[in-house]
Each structure stands twice: as C-alpha cells, then as structure tokens.
Amino acid sequence: MNRFSEKYVITKNMEWEELGGGVSRKFLGYDNQIMMVRVKFETGALGSPHQHFHTQATFCASGKFEFEIDGVKQIVEAGDGVYIEPNLMHSAVCLEAGELIDTFSPVREDFLSGDGVSYFGDKS
C-alpha cells in the first residue's frame, strides 16, 4: 500500500526546465510555506545579481561556485551550505559545472507562474 496521497509528487518524474545561459532547474517539492529546487549549472553560467523577499538556504551538491552576497565574495564547493537573508543582493558564477539545491521560504510564486524575471539569461 502506498502511504503517499495523490498530492505528493515523486521528483524523479518531474521535468527539467531550461532557463537559458547554461542553467536548468527542477522543482523538488513545495507548498505555500517552503520550496526546494534543484538547479544545474554549466561552467561559466551566471546567476545574475538579484534580490527577493524570500529567505534562501542553498546546498552545493556538486561543482564549484563563486557567490557574492551583499558585496562579499566567497567560493562554495560540494558539501558547503549558504544562507541568504531576505532582500540581500546576491549572485553566483559557476566555476566548475555542478548542482545547487535551493530552498526558499515562502514558496517562489514567480517560479511557478513563470512571470518572474530570469536571473539566468534569455530562454530563447
């Protein structure tokens, strides 16, 4: 008997979304209070400077990145975690291809609706 109701989704069945600029993402789970997203970067891909009212915690699953948060640059590698307070300007450059696991609170409605500004370049 499956203990999960139909409202739960197993993420291995979810599709990757191409964001452009060598970045793609896959939702891992969310409700109105929290969202987890897997983000894949090619070497040289950029998460342009941006800010949002969401709290963000990021785990570097693989690769190497240079994060800049509120004007401070830091190298992040596999196994490292990053916390970003709401409304702080931040960006990331992928130094070695890899994946980040981003967690946001509350949910990123702009990600779900597709109305948000892309931090990763043009999708075309």
Side-chain angles (χ1 to χ4, degrees), residues 10-78:
I10 304 301
T11 60
K12 69 181 177 183
N13 299 325
M14 296 184 81
E15 300 280 330
W16 284 94
E17 176 185 7
E18 294 296 325
L19 301 176
V23 181
S24 56
R25 75 174 165 215
K26 181 180 187 177
F27 297 117
L28 297 179
Y30 60 88
D31 65 12
N32 62 344
Q33 296 178 7
I34 194 165
M35 171 180 265
M36 186 182 298
V37 182
R38 185 174 171 187
V39 188
K40 197 178 338 183
F41 288 80
E42 295 175 7
T43 300
L46 171 67
S48 298
H50 65 282
Q51 63 188 46
H52 44 76
F53 69 88
H54 310 82
T55 297
Q56 178 176 343
T58 297
F59 173 73
C60 183
S62 63
K64 186 175 184 178
F65 299 81
E66 180 183 72
F67 273 75
E68 184 170 351
I69 303 169
D70 200 27
V72 178
K73 291 184 179 181
Q74 187 171 318
I75 301 298
V76 175
E77 299 179 277

Side-chain angles (χ1 to χ4, degrees), residues 2 4 7-8 19 28 32 47 53-54 63 79 88 99 109 117:
N2 187 343
F4 298 109
K7 80 174 198 172
Y8 297 103
L19 301 176
L28 297 179
N32 62 344
F53 69 88
H54 310 82
L88 286 184
E99 293 187 11
E109 294 285 352
V117 175

Side-chain angles (χ1 to χ4, degrees), residues 63-117:
K64 186 175 184 178
F65 299 81
E66 180 183 72
F67 273 75
E68 184 170 351
I69 303 169
D70 200 27
V72 178
K73 291 184 179 181
Q74 187 171 318
I75 301 298
V76 175
E77 299 179 277
D80 291 340
V82 178
Y83 170 74
I84 303 169
E85 291 181 34
N87 301 309
L88 286 184
M89 187 65 69
H90 58 284
S91 62
V93 177
C94 182
L95 304 176
E96 295 175 10
E99 293 187 11
L100 300 175
I101 306 297
D102 287 333
T103 306
F104 301 97
S105 180
V107 66
R108 292 292 305 260
E109 294 285 352
D110 56 332
F111 284 8
L112 297 175
S113 69
D115 292 336
V117 175

